[in-house]
Amino acid sequence: MNPIACIVMTSIGTEDEAEALATAIVEAQLGACVQIQRVRSVYAWQGELRREPEWVLHIKTLAARYAVLEAFIRERHSYQTPEIVLVPITAGSADYLHWLAAGSAPPAQE
């Protein structure tokens, strides 16, 4: 049975924070790949309408790694209430999904 792949998304306030978090995630083998995109967000926060640049991270990983990844992000995130959402991958190239699973597998000691 193939492991269930997913994309975990989070957004963060600066490019430097995005780069640091993405690097830490891949180095910890919590995701095989992290894509970083600059976006402009419009949102309500504490009763105010805000418009700010953000960087969205798309983390390619395994659903089984979500709880550990969420805790990892929360420990390193600068937002009080960070976006951390899991989007399942329901289909994909077998070769790609195999690579994703290998790059997201927990180390033997976990």
Side-chain angles (χ1 to χ4, degrees):
M1 183 165 159
N2 289 335
I4 299 171
C6 65
I7 298 171
V8 174
M9 297 185 319
T10 191
S11 56
I12 202 156
T14 72
E15 187 174 13
D16 288 343
E17 287 177 302
E19 182 71 30
L21 183 56
T23 299
I25 288 167
V26 173
E27 287 177 345
Q29 291 183 268
L30 291 171
C33 172
V34 180
Q35 293 175 318
I36 302 170
Q37 294 177 303
R38 184 175 182 182
V39 298
R40 182 118 181 114
S41 294
V42 178
Y43 61 97
W45 179 249
Q46 298 179 337
E48 293 182 26
L49 184 64
R50 298 189 181 197
R51 292 175 175 85
E52 297 182 27
E54 289 187 297
W55 282 259
V56 174
L57 282 66
H58 292 105
I59 305 155
K60 286 43 172 305
T61 191
L62 299 174
R65 302 289 278 153
Y66 177 78
V68 175
L69 177 58
E70 179 183 351
F72 189 89
I73 293 169
R74 284 186 184 281
E75 288 173 7
R76 291 159 178 78
H77 210 290
S78 62
Y79 289 1
Q80 180 181 347
T81 307
E83 168 194 20
I84 307 171
V85 297
L86 182 151
V87 179
I89 296 174
T90 58
S93 157
D95 291 342
Y96 176 79
L97 294 177
H98 177 75
W99 170 83
L100 185 154
S104 303
Q109 67 271 19
E110 248 184 56

